[in-house]
Amino acid sequence: MHEMECRVLSIQSHVVRGYVGNKSASFPLQVLGFEVDSINSVQFSNHTGYSHWKGQVLTADELHVLYEGIKLNNVHHYDYVLTGYTRDTSFLEMVVDIVQELKRANPNLVYVCDPVLGDHGSMYVPENLHPVYKNKVVPVADIITPNQFEAELLTGKNISTEKDAVEVMDLLHKMGPDTVVITSSDLPSRLGDRFLVSLGSQRTLMPDGTKSTQRVRMEIPKVDAVFVGTGDLFAAMLLAWTHHYPNDLKTDGLHLMVNLRGGREQR
């Protein structure tokens, strides 16, 4: 990546204690050669899985002020936008406006969206974020990385089999994104119960104008521990490897699994 500067605008959470959001995503991207400009959607003492947490939520107006400052200095030229956790609908709508403006300036810009809504059957953000993600955010995204619960929520379809998962990914394709990765699922692994199943689908425009679809199934070894921030790391590493291999989701997945395993072993 030394031949050219590749710049990412990362709009995610920040915590004082721990590693989630921008603290999970920014440094690994920088190690891989990306320049990362970070905007913190929230600034909390710690992630919300703790019994107590304190902090501030960035408003849409405050996000707009930060973005205007970047524009006034003419340093708002990005190759990627990466977004994760937020708790405010107007903030999320402002993110969409920023992404659309940046895409007008650079039609090749890639928007990677982790639609953080919840997991294991329950939401951990306000429910009014759901329609904003579904109707406004996902349609402008190029790559999305929902977990199974989020994919089901966005499409209104349950996943019980791999066939269901493929249908859900196709529904998400129809909503906008060309690359969809269901980062974790409850589907049984062919390698046994010590593995987690992740599924991906990528549509590629062929020279003749048709679209080819590549499907990927990843069996990820489970670790007997509780981790936070792995979804944020997953989305960041997917961004990195799709930059190197934009039309080869299988290769992206192989590199991603190595990065995730290394990241967990460092915790």
Side-chain angles (χ1 to χ4, degrees):
M1 293 199 40
H2 298 292
E3 72 279 2
M4 55 178 276
E5 178 179 278
C6 195
R7 190 167 290 274
V8 180
L9 177 62
S10 180
I11 306 175
Q12 303 194 62
S13 61
H14 171 81
V15 291
V16 177
R17 171 72 179 228
Y19 292 91
V20 298
N22 275 325
K23 282 184 74 176
S24 276
S26 296
F27 180 65
L29 284 170
Q30 290 168 329
V31 168
L32 290 172
F34 291 82
E35 293 290 337
V36 183
D37 293 351
S38 300
I39 294 177
N40 299 325
S41 58
V42 302
Q43 178 165 274
F44 288 162
S45 55
N46 43 265
H47 70 78
T48 57
Y50 281 80
S51 300
H52 307 282
W53 47 274
K54 298 288 186 179
Q56 301 83 36
V57 177
L58 197 70
T59 67
D61 288 342
E62 290 165 338
L63 172 61
H64 181 68
V65 167
L66 290 175
Y67 180 64
E68 284 299 308
I70 296 170
K71 284 175 60 179
L72 287 171
N73 289 299
N74 196 31
V75 290
H76 61 301
H77 307 289
Y78 294 99
D79 302 285
Y80 291 90
V81 175
L82 173 65
T83 64
Y85 181 90
T86 186
R87 295 187 61 85
D88 181 76
T89 55
S90 59
F91 181 95
L92 202 51
E93 289 168 343
M94 180 61 67
V95 167
V96 172
D97 291 343
I98 290 172
V99 168
Q100 290 175 324
E101 182 172 317
L102 290 173
K103 282 193 171 191
R104 285 192 293 270
N106 175 16
N108 294 320
L109 180 142
V110 174
Y111 173 28
V112 181
C113 171
D114 183 6
V116 180
L117 289 164
D119 204 358
H120 304 300
S122 61
M123 295 184 67
Y124 42 62
V125 297
E127 290 188 9
N128 58 1
L129 264 68
H130 172 221
V132 181
Y133 270 113
K134 182 176 181 178
N135 300 321
K136 296 184 178 181
V137 180
V138 174
V140 300
D142 300 287
I143 300 172
I144 58 168
T145 59
N147 57 39
Q148 177 176 327
F149 172 72
E150 291 160 345
E152 291 174 333
L153 205 57
L154 290 168
T155 60
K157 180 177 174 60
N158 291 331
I159 297 174
S160 301
T161 65
E162 189 167 332
K163 181 176 179 290
D164 292 337
V166 169
E167 290 174 359
V168 163
M169 289 189 290
D170 282 341
L171 288 172
L172 289 168
H173 280 317
K174 289 177 182 177
M175 292 168 68
D178 281 333
T179 300
V180 177
V181 178
I182 299 176
T183 57
S184 61
S185 74
D186 298 325
L187 296 175
S189 168
R190 297 163 185 163
L191 301 177
D193 59 7
R194 295 186 61 82
F195 286 80
L196 181 73
V197 175
S198 176
L199 298 160
S201 179
Q202 184 177 56
R203 294 188 312 185
T204 304
L205 185 64
M206 306 304 287
D208 63 0
T210 61
K211 285 198 172 183
S212 172
T213 303
Q214 181 187 30
R215 313 285 194 191
V216 174
R217 177 187 173 106
M218 293 176 282
E219 314 270 350
I220 304 171
K222 292 180 180 178
V223 176
D224 189 18
V226 176
F227 296 95
V228 294
T230 50
D232 308 316
L233 178 61
F234 190 109
M237 292 301 92
L238 184 61
L239 181 160
W241 292 114
T242 52
H243 174 74
H244 288 294
Y245 306 99
N247 298 315
D248 190 351
L249 189 58
K250 183 176 180 180
T251 299
D252 299 333
L254 291 172
H255 283 289
L256 207 158
M257 287 173 66
V258 171
N259 289 148
L260 286 177
R261 189 177 183 91
R264 291 181 303 183
E265 288 172 354
Q266 293 296 317
R267 296 296 176 92

